[in-house]
Amino acid sequence: MKKFFIFGLLAAILLWGCGYKDEAAEKKPLVRAEAVDTGTVLITVGFIQTGKESDWRDANTNDFLQTFTREKGYNLIYIDGNSDPERQVKAAYDLIAQNVDYIIIDPIVEDGWEDVFMEAKEKGIPVIVSDRQVNVNASHYACWVGSDFYKEGQNAAKWLEKYLEDKGREKEEIKIVLLEGTDGATATRGRTEGLYSVIDKHSNWKVVAKEYGNFTQGEGAQVMEGILNQKIEFDVVIAENDNMMFGAMNAMEQQGIAYGVGTDVITISFDALQEALAKVIKGELMVTVECNPLIAGLTEKAILDLEKGKRIEKVHFVKETVFTQENTVLHLMERKY
Ligand code: GYE
C-alpha cells in the first residue's frame, strides 16, 4: 500500500513537472480571454528568428508569418536575428521592455539565455522556445516545440548501415566527411551525437574530415572545396542540412567528382526540402532525413492554451520521415517548402 502511495506521489510530481501553467496568464481577468475570443483585443507576440541561413529557415519564418496574422487576432513583431546570438538576446530584452504578451524564440545557440529568460519570467511574459533548444532551467519558459535532432542523426547513420549491408560492404573501410551546422546549436549537437551513436559501433567507419558550415550553402561549398583541395579521400558526405549539401555538390562538380547513386560518393543530408527531394529522385542525393519547419501551428496552440489558463506540456515533438528513392516520389508534389 505504502509502495503504491509513494509511486503515486512520484508519478504526480513527475506529471506536474512536465506541465506548465503560466501564473501571469492564470491571473489574467476573464474579460481578456473573452476579448481575445471576440477579436476585440490583439495578442502581441514577439518572434525572434535565427536569421536567413537556409531554405528550411525561410519556410519556418513564412509559417510563423502566415500563422500569427492580424486577421486571427495577433500583433506579430518579427525580429531577424541575423545569425547573431547576441542580437537575439538583445531583441528579447527589447520585447520584454515593450511588455509583449508572448515571446517566441528560435535560438541560434543553446547558451547565453538564462538571464533574459529569468527577466521575462519575472515580468510575467511566457517564452516559447521553438526549433532549437536553450540551456536554461526549464521552469523559466513555457514550452519547447521542435524536432528530435538526435533521432534524425541516428536515422541517417542507420540508413548508411543498412545501405552498406545491402551492398555487401559492411566490412569495408568507410571514410566519412561530415559537414556540421553551427557550433553550439541543438540541431548540430543532436544530429552529430545521433550520427556518432551509430558511427562508433563500426570500427571500420572513419570520420576523415569534420567541419562547421553554419547551415549555409556558401559555407557548405567552401568547406567542401577545402577538403577536396587537401586531397582527402572519402566514400560518404554527410551534410547536416540540404543547403550545405547543395554547396558541397557544387564544389564536387567543380572538381569533376561524381556523386550519388552509381558513383563512389554516398550523399546524405537533413531537412528534406523540395529541391532535395528532387535530387533524391534523380539519385544525386541518396537520403534526406526530414526536419519539419512547419511548427508555428503547435506554437500557436500552446499560446491559445495558455490564454485559457490551461496547463501545457513542456516538450512538443513534430513528426518526421526519412526520404530515399523508394518513398520520395509520393511526397514531392505535396511538399510545401
Ligand atoms: O536543419 C537548417 C536550419 O535548426 C532545424 O537550421 C534547424 C536547422 C535546419 O537552418 O537548415
Side-chain angles (χ1 to χ4, degrees), residues 53-54 56-57 131-132 149 187 191 215 240-241 271 291:
E53 74 280 1
S54 67
W56 186 99
R57 190 60 57 193
D131 169 24
R132 303 174 190 171
F149 302 117
R191 286 173 188 163
F215 293 116
E240 285 182 357
N241 80 344
D271 279 357
C291 182

Side-chain angles (χ1 to χ4, degrees), residues 48-52 78-88 91 108:
I48 308 174
Q49 182 55 288
T50 60
K52 297 193 179 77
Y78 164 71
I79 297 157
D80 181 345
N82 247 341
S83 298
D84 177 352
E86 278 175 29
R87 182 182 155 107
Q88 281 200 307
I108 299 167

